[in-house]
Amino acid sequence: TKGTDFLFAPCDDIMTRTPVTVRDEDKFADAEQLMLQRKINTLLVVDDDDKLSGVLQIYDMTGRENGQGGHDA
């Protein structure tokens, strides 16, 4: 069916080409606010050379409020 065609498509046909990023030194609260404003659940974290240093997800933030959160894949 038409709805499942994406399952067989290459990732580069589906991926976000301009992901939202934050710097690794940005404040946690600013990243959370950005996610809420943009209605997104994932930010890429980059260093001063614009190289990927990690991924921040809204789920990481909700766990941190309770002293948990953050994970390595």
Side-chain angles (χ1 to χ4, degrees):
T1 64
K2 189 91 168 146
T4 59
D5 288 346
F6 72 91
L7 294 174
F8 303 102
C11 290
D12 66 349
D13 284 353
I14 300 169
M15 69 184 188
T16 300
R17 298 207 179 270
T18 55
V20 180
T21 62
V22 292
R23 298 268 179 211
D24 49 12
E25 70 268 4
D26 287 348
K27 302 283 187 243
F28 191 75
D30 294 336
E32 180 180 32
Q33 188 63 30
L34 182 58
M35 285 188 189
L36 294 172
Q37 287 172 344
R38 299 275 189 105
K39 296 182 172 131
I40 57 176
N41 60 19
T42 304
L43 293 169
L44 299 182
V45 183
V46 297
D47 64 15
D48 290 334
D49 297 320
D50 288 329
K51 292 188 180 187
L52 182 66
S53 59
V55 177
L56 185 62
Q57 295 185 310
I58 196 76
Y59 315 110
D60 297 329
M61 296 177 178
T62 55
R64 293 268 185 208
E65 294 170 358
N66 299 319
Q68 303 170 347
H71 59 277
D72 292 327

